[in-house]
Amino acid sequence: MVVVDGRVEELDLEEAGIAGAITPRIGDLVQLRNLDLADNRLSGSIPAVLGDLPSLAILHLHENRLQLPAPDNLTDPRPGLEVRLPESRSE
């Protein structure tokens, strides 16, 4: 985690073993530039608020069990936002 002036700018939790849903409250982290939640056991829907974070440049959510389809603002992200989403899978 990188914190500058009391604000979270980077959160790297790749392979951290976390499970559960991504809270929409993550949208409160308006200075967040890099969010890596890849390769965990996350489930549930992907909050659309992630695509609205103004400073976000990197979002990695792949290798989780998140529900698809993802919000439109993440499947067709704005310029400058790198997004890696879970792949659809057949069960």
Side-chain angles (χ1 to χ4, degrees):
M1 178 168 37
V2 174
V3 179
V4 177
D5 295 328
R7 296 181 184 253
V8 177
E9 289 192 356
E10 295 185 26
L11 193 54
D12 184 352
L13 296 173
E14 182 178 12
E15 296 184 26
I18 56 177
I22 301 171
T23 177
R25 299 262 343 247
I26 200 149
D28 294 345
L29 301 176
V30 295
Q31 298 299 318
L32 194 61
R33 292 182 295 120
N34 180 351
L35 178 60
D36 190 346
L37 299 175
D39 206 8
N40 282 289
R41 295 184 315 259
L42 296 171
S43 58
S45 61
I46 301 170
V49 69
L50 290 173
D52 297 332
L53 289 169
S55 300
L56 194 63
I58 298 172
L59 174 63
H60 290 175
L61 300 175
H62 55 286
E63 302 299 323
N64 280 292
R65 294 198 150 281
L66 294 162
Q67 292 175 2
L68 298 174
D72 290 342
N73 62 356
L74 295 176
T75 57
D76 184 21
R78 62 177 158 65
L81 176 56
E82 172 194 313
V83 177
R84 290 190 61 197
L85 295 170
E87 294 181 18
S88 60
R89 59 190 183 275
S90 32
E91 304 199 28

